[in-house]
């Protein structure tokens, strides 16, 4: 769901996600964020709020903002676990496959 596009507030996002999996404490394997530089504040606020609720979930950002400001994004948004640089569709699939099989993903060139 593109929650940035529909401008759902953070409280509503959290409520909706909790409602979907009311009986499961950690239903989410990964949360992904993408956007241009104008979405930095939204990514930070949303990632921080969701990380409080689901601290064991993997948080990754990609897109123009993350690709342009990789190290800064990780410093500015400590809730992020990784940044996907450049075109991330194939890299994200590879990361998820490695994660599911227990392999190290740190060797992926674009993460």
């Amino acid at each position: 769901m593109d929650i940035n596009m529909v401008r759902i507030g953070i409280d509503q996002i959290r409520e909706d996600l909790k409602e979907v999996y009311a009986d499961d404490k950690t239903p989410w394997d990964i949360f992904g964020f993408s956007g241009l530089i104008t979405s930095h504040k939204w990514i930070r606020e949303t990632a921080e709020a969701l990380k409080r609720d689901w601290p064991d979930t993997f948080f990754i950002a990609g897109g123009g903002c993350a690709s342009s400001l990789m190290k800064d994004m990780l410093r500015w948004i400590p809730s992020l676990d990784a940044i996907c640089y450049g075109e991330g569709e194939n890299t994200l699939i590879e990361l998820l496959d490695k994660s599911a099989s227990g392999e190290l993903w740190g060797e992926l060139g674009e993460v």
Side-chain angles (χ1 to χ4, degrees):
M1 172 196 313
D2 187 345
I3 50 182
N4 187 34
M5 180 189 77
V6 294
R7 301 291 184 208
I8 298 172
I10 293 170
D11 291 335
Q12 185 65 51
I13 294 166
R14 293 172 66 221
E15 183 179 314
D16 289 350
L17 291 173
K18 286 179 181 180
E19 207 173 280
V20 171
Y21 285 98
D23 298 330
D24 193 345
K25 288 189 174 222
T26 309
W28 314 106
D29 294 321
I30 186 169
F31 280 117
F33 300 90
S34 181
L36 301 173
I37 191 68
T38 55
S39 63
H40 169 268
K41 179 181 177 192
W42 176 86
I43 293 170
R44 179 178 42 82
E45 291 173 353
T46 305
E48 288 173 357
L50 296 179
K51 194 70 159 185
R52 282 192 301 273
D53 292 329
W54 296 285
D56 297 327
T57 300
F58 187 82
F59 284 66
I60 188 168
C65 184
S67 292
S68 299
L69 302 165
M70 291 181 297
K71 291 180 182 178
D72 292 327
M73 287 282 285
L74 288 171
R75 192 175 70 247
W76 296 334
I77 308 174
S79 300
L80 293 176
D81 297 303
I83 298 288
C84 188
Y85 175 78
E87 298 299 322
E89 289 82 359
N90 294 330
T91 303
L92 185 57
I93 291 169
E94 190 176 349
L95 181 142
L96 295 173
D97 287 343
K98 284 185 178 288
S99 179
S101 69
E103 292 181 62
L104 296 177
W105 52 266
E107 297 176 7
L108 293 173
E110 296 179 350
V111 177

